[in-house]
């Protein structure tokens, strides 16, 4: 809605804002301790504050923080479901608390949580806003839960180690999981099975599917690059 890009700047405890059309940096939003994950949709922004065990809800136009929700320790992956007014945070946990998945009603009326079998990375939701998918590092899998109450949990095991970056193609019904062992895995949501794999140039992080082109883009820290794959051709 705002044509703005929001970037989690973990090391500086802030969110950087870029005007996409003007191609320039327009704001630095302070007060987001060790911000880890960020997502924007329909004029709303959610950010997980790993250093404060919280999830911030920010207005994308005014930059005002509309609410802050208490999460489990070290929240990481985040997803927003605007059509249902839901915010989702996947928390890594600490020495005293295990990993957890949380779903909050943005109106403050709902809060559901469920324990996770391992460290969560990124998470996404389906087109119908009925399920959330969470990449679990070890054992490497995609955890699936129903929204909003996080029931009917399923574990979809992966043929690659260290599930990390996660993206969804809602039109084709596919998940794309970038794994630490330098593998990109395509999962057919209908069959719940891995259908294809591709080698990556290194250990991945954030993964993004461009619905206009159908290309999957994977950020790789070492070497510093973005690798792009067309899952329809494998190139």
């Amino acid at each position: 809605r705002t044509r703005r890009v929001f970037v989690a700047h973990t090391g500086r405890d802030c969110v950087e804002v870029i005007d996409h059309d003007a191609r320039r940096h327009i704001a630095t939003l302070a007060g987001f301790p060790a911000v880890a994950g960020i997502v924007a949709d329909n004029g709303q922004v959610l950010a997980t504050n790993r250093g404060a065990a919280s999830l911030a809800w920010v207005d994308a136009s005014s930059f005002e923080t509309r609410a802050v929700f208490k999460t489990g320790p070290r929240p990481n992956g985040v997803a927003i479901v605007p059509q249902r007014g839901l915010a989702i945070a996947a928390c890594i946990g600490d020495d005293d608390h295990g990993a957890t998945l949380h779903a909050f009603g943005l109106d403050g009326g709902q809060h559901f949580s469920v324990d996770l079998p391992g460290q969560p990375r990124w998470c996404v939701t389906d087109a119908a806003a009925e399920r959330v998918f969470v990449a679990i590092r070890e054992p490497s899998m995609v955890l699936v839960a129903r929204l909003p109450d996080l029931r009917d949990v399923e574990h979809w095991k992966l043929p690659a180690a260290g599930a990390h970056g996660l993206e969804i193609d809602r039109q084709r019904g596919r998940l794309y999981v970038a794994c630490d062992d330098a593998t990109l895995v395509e999962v057919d949501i209908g069959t719940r099975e891995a259908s294809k794999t591709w080698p990556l140039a290194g250990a991945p992080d954030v993964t993004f599917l461009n619905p206009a082109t159908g290309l999957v883009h994977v950020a790789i820290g070492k070497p510093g690059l973005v690798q792009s794959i067309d899952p329809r051709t494998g190139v």
Side-chain angles (χ1 to χ4, degrees):
R1 177 182 295 181
T2 64
R3 303 284 292 173
R4 292 170 175 168
V5 180
F6 295 83
V7 183
H9 199 151
T10 309
R12 292 186 59 194
D13 302 328
C14 66
V15 172
E16 306 287 4
V17 187
I18 297 168
D19 184 313
H20 174 274
D21 295 330
R23 297 186 180 185
R24 64 184 180 90
H25 177 273
I26 59 173
T28 296
L29 312 182
F32 298 85
V35 57
I38 198 161
V39 64
D41 195 0
N42 199 31
Q44 304 176 85
V45 180
L46 297 177
T48 50
N49 299 315
R50 193 180 293 175
S54 67
L55 174 69
W57 175 26
V58 179
D59 185 281
S61 297
S62 67
F63 303 145
E64 293 181 1
T65 298
R66 303 183 64 178
V68 177
F69 304 93
K70 193 65 177 176
T71 68
R74 301 169 67 201
N76 193 41
V78 60
I80 187 169
V81 192
Q83 61 267 52
R84 299 189 67 165
L86 287 176
I88 298 166
C91 304
I92 296 171
D94 57 19
D95 292 340
D96 298 319
H97 302 86
T100 52
L101 179 67
H102 299 259
F104 299 92
L106 291 175
D107 61 2
Q110 293 178 308
H111 177 209
F112 302 97
S113 65
V114 63
D115 292 337
L116 296 175
Q119 177 179 329
R121 259 70 179 271
W122 298 103
C123 54
V124 295
T125 60
D126 63 6
E130 295 177 346
R131 291 183 291 179
V132 58
F133 305 90
V134 186
I136 303 295
R137 179 181 181 182
E138 184 63 38
S140 186
M141 68 172 73
V142 174
L143 181 139
V144 188
R146 289 284 174 183
L147 294 173
D149 53 16
L150 304 179
R151 294 183 179 180
D152 302 327
V153 173
E154 300 178 37
H155 297 164
W156 298 357
K157 295 183 179 180
L158 297 172
H164 198 149
L166 180 64
E167 181 60 296
I168 184 170
D169 185 334
R170 295 187 173 98
Q171 291 185 335
R172 298 180 63 240
R174 300 289 191 273
L175 292 171
Y176 293 95
V177 192
C179 299
D180 289 341
D181 70 353
T183 304
L184 179 67
V185 181
E186 179 186 80
V187 178
D188 186 314
I189 295 174
T191 65
R192 299 169 168 80
E193 298 290 337
S195 52
K196 298 177 183 177
T197 63
W198 298 272
L200 296 173
D205 200 309
V206 179
T207 301
F208 171 73
L209 179 133
N210 186 332
T213 64
L215 297 179
V216 179
H217 306 282
V218 182
I220 297 171
K222 294 181 181 180
L225 55 83
V226 174
Q227 184 171 344
S228 301
I229 295 172
D230 188 336
R232 297 158 299 186
T233 63
V235 178

